[in-house]
Every structure is written in structure tokens, then in C-alpha cells.
Amino acid sequence: LANLGLGFVCHPFEKLAGKLSFRFQQLDVKVETKTLDNVFIEVAVSIQFQILRERVFDAFYALSNHTQQITAHVYDVLRSELPKLDLDAAFEAKDVLAVAVKSALSETMTEYGYQILQGTIRKIV
């Protein structure tokens, strides 16, 4: 790991494995699912996440594609929760669904070195 400031890589003996950013990142996911009253809806979710400094090794080596993993978890949570609600209840439960997405992602992604900061449901169409 390279700290802030000037750093060197001795070319024949060391090589750069890759780069990760500690900045906040955002992933937008669209999920299409069916409600209890057989109406298909599309839900747009924004996930904000960041790499944990103490788990950089896990963040780089544990997952080959972290965005695919986050997207899969969002799909799982929303496709298991939304079919239990009718259309009106789905619009009312935006905050409850956002909390469910954030808590499910936080449990899983912390193991891989990612901190989930926010899960927001932007719109339901």
C-alpha cells in the first residue's frame, strides 16, 4: 500500500498490482419486479459506498467485480420485498425498502472491505 506523498516502485523487484480509490462512489441500479397486485414496476436505487481503509486487501483481492456483487444484493432484497406489497404500499414503503437494502448490503459488503454509506430509492415507475 502506498501512503500519501512521494512513493517509488523498484521496477524489476516490485510491480503495481492495481489502484483503488478511497473516495465515495455511487452505483445506480434499476430493478424491475412485480407487486402483489400483478403490476410491474421499475425501481431506481442509488447506493453510495466507500472502501474501508483497514480492509483494503480484502477490497482488492476478495471480489473481482464489486459492482456486480452490490447489484446482485440489491436485486435480491427488492425482488423479495416488493412482491409482498401492492402498488400503493410500495410507494409508501420507499423508506422501509431503502433501510432494508442498506442493512442487507452492509452486512455482506463489510466482509469484502466496503462500507455502505447510503441506500436511496430515487423513484418508482
Side-chain angles (χ1 to χ4, degrees):
L1 297 175
N3 292 320
L4 296 174
L6 188 60
F8 295 99
V9 176
C10 297
H11 178 62
F13 306 108
E14 299 177 332
K15 86 176 199 184
L16 184 64
K19 294 181 182 180
L20 289 176
S21 174
F22 289 114
R23 293 178 142 190
F24 297 127
Q25 299 175 40
Q26 181 170 320
L27 177 65
D28 295 325
V29 180
K30 289 185 179 180
V31 180
E32 186 176 334
T33 187
K34 190 163 78 166
T35 60
L36 185 64
D37 49 354
N38 291 328
V39 177
F40 282 93
I41 59 173
E42 186 175 287
V43 181
V45 182
S46 293
I47 306 296
Q48 295 173 351
F49 62 96
Q50 176 181 24
I51 295 174
L52 296 168
R53 289 190 184 272
E54 59 273 4
R55 310 272 320 253
V56 174
F57 186 84
D58 294 332
F60 187 75
Y61 288 107
L63 293 175
S64 60
N65 190 346
H66 63 278
T67 57
Q68 245 181 352
Q69 187 75 18
I70 292 172
T71 302
H73 281 289
V74 171
Y75 271 77
D76 286 346
V77 171
L78 290 180
R79 286 190 172 170
S80 67
E81 294 295 324
L82 281 171
K84 299 175 189 173
L85 305 171
D86 62 358
L87 185 61
D88 293 335
F91 280 101
E92 293 172 3
K94 278 175 69 171
D95 295 333
V96 175
L97 292 171
V99 169
V101 168
K102 183 180 184 270
S103 64
L105 279 174
S106 293
E107 290 175 16
T108 306
M109 295 307 290
T110 303
E111 298 173 20
Y112 300 117
Y114 290 90
Q115 176 185 13
I116 305 300
L117 302 169
Q118 187 72 23
T120 307
I121 296 182
R122 291 185 295 130
K123 65 179 178 177
I124 298 175
V125 179

